[in-house]
Amino acid sequence: MEKTVQMYEGKAKKVFATNDENYCIVSYKDDATAFNGLKKGTILGKGAINNRVTNHLMKLLEKNGIPTHFVEELSDRETVVKKVTIVPLEVIVRNIAAGSLAKRLGLAEGTKMKSTVLEYCYKDDELGDPMINEYHILAMEFATKEEIDLIAKYSFKINEILSNYLKDANIELIDFKLEFGKTADGQIVLADEISPDTCRFWDTVTGEKLDKDRFRRDLGNVEDAYQEVLKRLMGE
Ligand code: C5P
């Protein structure tokens, strides 16, 4: 399969069309942004790590019954994915209070909650990805009721699969963001990435942060944390 024109360039990835209209090629960059693009930087080696970690986890999810856009890893930074129309939602799953939820509800980071929290944000940079609920999604026709129910079902199942898997690597899955897409034949599939950019990973023993919060909060050892996740998941 061959790359043709660049269809899209985001903060962390570029997406190319290919000579087959059903597929795209994603290319991961080392660029890092936070706070809706206000903070910019580079995390050396991040693109390759996020590509490999994402594909590893997508394959694990596929094996466990979650349909994904993953097709084939082409190289360190490039992957063939199914062409989808992205549902304009950021689906956030939270096991432990951290980040914006901790701030919003006045909880100390690390507070255990009685049950898992699911949030939806409208994917729109200009608006700063505002949080919305199911009624907004239906009113704005971002997805149908059946699609929202399926997205919620997949999201909880993904949380269960990933939380259990990561525990064996001494990583606690605090929270994460998912995006879903719709294929040409209308199937809802998991899209985008699952990486230290989009998840909070804490060491189960020390509580050390092994994710993008090291960049967002200037905690240092950013590259080391990404490398550590790759090593724990893939032995490299
Ligand atoms: O910032 P907040 O606490 O709402 O983030 C929740 C989770 O969603 C974190 O794991 C964060 O990495 C992820 N996230 C993301 N992209 C965004 C917003 C949040 O990957 N635009």
Side-chain angles (χ1 to χ4, degrees):
M1 193 164 309
E2 309 233 326
K3 274 193 276 188
T4 55
V5 292
Q6 183 175 309
M7 294 165 61
Y8 164 85
E9 177 161 9
K11 295 170 201 145
K13 294 185 287 292
K14 292 177 186 177
V15 181
F16 296 88
T18 70
N19 48 350
D20 185 328
E21 62 174 4
N22 295 310
Y23 300 99
C24 296
I25 291 176
V26 180
S27 178
Y28 286 74
K29 307 192 285 186
D30 283 352
D31 296 352
T33 63
F35 314 118
N36 199 21
L38 285 178
K39 182 181 168 112
K40 289 191 172 75
T42 301
I43 302 174
L44 223 63
K46 174 173 88 78
I49 292 174
N50 285 358
N51 183 39
R52 307 213 46 212
V53 167
T54 294
N55 293 342
H56 183 69
L57 296 176
M58 291 268 178
K59 283 189 240 175
L60 172 79
L61 293 170
E62 281 276 359
K63 241 195 315 192
N64 285 277
I66 305 290
T68 79
H69 72 163
F70 174 77
V71 178
E72 185 194 0
E73 189 169 292
L74 284 185
S75 66
D76 253 16
R77 279 169 196 275
E78 293 191 335
T79 293
V80 181
V81 297
K82 287 178 198 154
K83 187 170 182 178
V84 297
T85 307
I86 291 287
V87 178
L89 298 175
E90 300 203 331
V91 181
I92 297 177
V93 183
R94 301 180 183 271
N95 295 308
I96 303 277
S100 70
L101 176 131
K103 206 166 159 187
R104 195 178 337 120
L105 299 184
L107 298 173
E109 277 214 317
T111 304
K112 287 217 165 30
M113 299 183 288
K114 185 87 180 155
S115 54
T116 302
V117 171
L118 188 70
E119 294 170 355
Y120 302 107
C121 294
Y122 172 39
K123 233 175 100 66
D124 186 301
D125 283 343
E126 265 176 41
L127 298 176
D129 303 331
M131 197 196 287
I132 54 174
N133 63 30
E134 249 191 70
Y135 292 98
H136 298 102
I137 298 173
L138 292 172
M140 298 290 291
E141 297 186 286
F142 294 148
T144 64
K145 177 78 175 93
E146 292 70 31
E147 288 167 349
I148 303 171
D149 288 349
L150 194 58
I151 285 171
K153 189 180 97 176
Y154 285 158
S155 299
F156 283 114
K157 179 85 178 147
I158 291 167
N159 184 40
E160 199 185 301
I161 298 163
L162 293 183
S163 293
N164 286 330
Y165 179 75
L166 291 163
K167 220 168 270 166
D168 289 340
N170 281 333
I171 293 172
E172 181 156 24
L173 183 57
I174 303 301
D175 57 32
F176 57 100
K177 185 261 303 180
L178 300 171
E179 291 183 27
F180 291 86
K182 218 167 155 175
T183 58
D185 56 5
Q187 192 195 14
I188 294 281
V189 298
L190 178 66
D192 197 53
E193 63 178 284
I194 310 174
S195 71
D197 268 14
T198 62
C199 303
R200 286 196 170 91
F201 293 143
W202 293 3
D203 182 284
T204 45
V205 180
T206 64
E208 190 190 358
K209 293 177 176 32
L210 299 171
D211 56 59
K212 196 172 161 187
D213 272 349
R214 302 207 73 84
F215 168 78
R216 294 186 188 105
R217 301 178 188 188
D218 295 319
L219 300 176
N221 298 328
V222 185
E223 281 88 359
D224 293 346
Y226 279 68
Q227 201 70 52
E228 180 64 22
V229 171
L230 182 72
K231 193 172 110 192
R232 289 196 195 184
L233 298 190
M234 305 187 66
E236 291 165 35

